[in-house]
């Protein structure tokens, strides 16, 4: 390939702007095109980035080497499949799809594709979770149980997050990050119990889940869609034998590895947001993969396993209307 990698954005909202800002600092990349159904949103993105607004998604795909799919959730699968079929590299924001059938369709397209495919589970690359993962991988902390919680403040911004036909349902919004981390830190659950109810929104918006794992460990995830953004809205506690780790959003992680011993806190609060939240690293790994310098950080097989866990949770809760 001669010249910088031409990147097109399907969807020009907030998260597209985050990724475009990161890519603008990479000399190997040019943010070339953008398509959004809202012409004013596309025009504003183009003005900020120097991209050219494409009238259709197909025209954007035709003129790009790599495509970032940053649309509302229910549109991820179709855009990704079309771009992969055209031979393009694809970075899809989470989730890969909003049904298991569509997730499997994307995975099959990625398996056949010439380009690479990666899903944006940015938490995996946030410093707090990388440190926690490293402690578990090294054997310094062997999980016996864990507590995950995410109190999303509302389903009002953007407005489509409150529409389950577009978001895929609350679990496919922010809680999918926690479900992905359950897998990263503890493995795939062998049993899932779940209770859910609709309290504020016309969809299940309060969930309590219990997971058990082949190791004998267990974990609880509590997540709510209407709890305000009280800090820390996201928290993970992992317990071991006389040992514990606790995160506070992407700000800091604390390890206590002996009874009565000193606690050690690693603070990431001074990092720029795109680094602290893992966006910069996931973008760097995606671009490296497109250039043949490594594998995509979270490929289709990994993302499909997380989609299966989301659907297991809905099934265990007896949530109606799932496909």
């Amino acid at each position: 390939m001669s010249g910088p990698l031409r990147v097109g954005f399907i969807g020009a909202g907030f998260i597209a702007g985050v990724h475009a800002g990161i890519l603008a600092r990479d000399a190997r990349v040019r943010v070339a095109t953008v398509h959004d159904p809202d012409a004013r949103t596309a025009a504003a993105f183009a003005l900020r980035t120097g991209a050219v607004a494409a009238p259709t998604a197909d025209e954007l795909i035709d003129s790009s080497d790599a495509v970032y799919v940053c649309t509302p959730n229910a549109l991820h699968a179709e855009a990704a499949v079309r771009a992969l079929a055209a031979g393009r590299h694809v970075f899809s924001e989470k989730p890969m799809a909003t049904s298991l059938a569509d997730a499997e369709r994307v995975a099959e397209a990625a398996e056949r594709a010439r380009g690479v495919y990666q899903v944006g589970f940015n938490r995996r690359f946030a410093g707090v979770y990388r440190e926690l993962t490293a402690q578990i991988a090294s054997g310094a902390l062997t999980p016996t149980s864990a507590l995950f919680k995410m109190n999303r403040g509302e389903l009002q911004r953007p407005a489509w997050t409150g529409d389950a036909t577009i978001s895929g349902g609350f679990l496919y919004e922010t809680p999918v990050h926690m479900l992905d981390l359950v897998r990263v830190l503890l493995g795939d659950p062998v049993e899932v119990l779940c209770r859910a109810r609709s309290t504020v929104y016309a969809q299940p918006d309060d969930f309590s889940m219990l997971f058990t794992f082949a190791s004998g460990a267990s974990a609880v995830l509590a997540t709510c869609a209407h709890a305000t953004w009280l800090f820390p809205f996201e928290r993970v506690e992992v317990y071991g034998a006389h040992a514990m780790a606790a995160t506070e959003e992407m700000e800091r992680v604390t390890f206590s590895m002996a009874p009565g011993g000193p606690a050690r806190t690693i603070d990431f609060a001074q990092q720029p947001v795109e680094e602290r939240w893992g966006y910069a690293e996931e973008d760097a790994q995606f671009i490296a993969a497109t250039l043949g310098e490594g594998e995509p950080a979270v490929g289709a097989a990994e993302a499909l396993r997380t989609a299966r866990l989301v659907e297991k949770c809905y099934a265990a809760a007896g949530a109606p209307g799932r496909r």
Side-chain angles (χ1 to χ4, degrees):
M1 183 184 69
S2 60
L5 188 80
R6 298 171 302 165
V7 176
F9 279 83
I10 301 179
F14 168 78
I15 197 61
V18 172
H19 290 299
I22 294 166
L23 296 181
R25 300 191 291 272
D26 190 330
R28 302 169 298 172
V29 171
R30 178 166 64 90
V31 178
T33 49
V34 61
H35 170 71
D36 193 286
D38 186 324
R40 289 179 298 180
T41 300
F45 182 95
L47 185 64
R48 292 193 307 271
T49 63
V52 174
T56 67
D58 285 336
E59 290 180 65
L60 179 141
I61 291 169
D62 287 343
S63 62
S64 302
D65 301 309
V67 174
Y68 270 66
V69 179
C70 299
T71 61
N73 298 351
L75 305 177
H76 289 180
E78 185 61 33
V81 168
R82 285 160 66 186
L84 288 166
R88 305 303 183 251
H89 305 294
V90 173
F91 180 100
S92 173
E93 263 302 331
K94 60 78 190 166
M96 71 187 303
T98 54
S99 73
L100 190 52
D102 277 348
E104 289 170 343
R105 186 163 65 97
V106 174
E108 290 167 3
E111 181 69 24
R112 297 191 301 267
R114 298 195 308 272
V116 302
Y117 173 82
Q118 181 174 318
V119 176
F121 283 118
N122 61 290
R123 269 28 173 219
R124 292 186 180 213
F125 311 102
V128 293
Y129 294 123
R130 295 187 82 158
E131 291 288 342
L132 180 51
T133 302
Q135 289 295 308
I136 293 172
S138 72
L141 175 60
T142 299
T144 57
S145 60
L147 172 65
F148 297 75
K149 79 99 172 179
M150 175 176 278
N151 53 293
R152 184 181 171 106
E154 34 69 23
L155 293 178
Q156 299 170 355
R157 297 172 295 172
W160 60 261
T161 58
D163 184 343
T165 65
I166 300 176
S167 71
F170 174 51
L171 292 187
Y172 276 115
E173 252 308 289
T174 37
V176 74
H177 285 296
M178 291 290 98
L179 290 167
D180 189 62
L181 285 172
V182 165
R183 295 190 49 253
V184 169
L185 298 174
L186 298 170
D188 288 299
V190 296
E191 183 182 18
V192 177
L193 301 176
C194 183
R195 298 292 179 268
R197 59 180 294 193
S198 302
T199 52
V200 174
Y201 297 99
Q203 60 174 294
D205 55 12
D206 268 300
F207 288 82
S208 297
M209 309 172 208
L210 174 63
F211 307 103
T212 55
F213 303 87
S215 66
S218 62
V220 171
L221 167 59
T223 186
C224 171
H226 46 81
T228 80
W229 296 102
L230 181 67
F231 180 88
F233 73 85
E234 176 178 325
R235 183 176 178 89
V236 175
E237 297 183 3
V238 177
Y239 313 119
H242 298 129
M244 174 182 172
T247 68
E248 297 175 79
E249 293 184 19
M250 269 53 73
E251 305 295 297
R252 60 191 66 89
V253 58
T254 299
F255 297 97
S256 175
M257 308 304 279
R264 178 172 65 98
T265 297
I266 307 174
D267 196 305
F268 297 90
Q270 299 306 310
Q271 286 187 333
V273 170
E274 60 267 28
E275 294 180 20
R276 187 164 76 246
W277 283 62
Y279 296 119
E281 180 61 24
E282 69 176 358
D283 283 340
Q285 293 201 29
F286 174 66
I287 298 304
T290 69
L291 300 175
E293 299 170 1
E295 295 297 317
V298 186
E302 269 292 282
L304 178 58
R305 288 164 70 181
T306 295
R308 286 174 175 153
L309 181 54
V310 173
E311 289 299 331
K312 283 182 180 179
C313 293
Y314 274 121
R322 302 302 306 174
R323 293 168 287 172

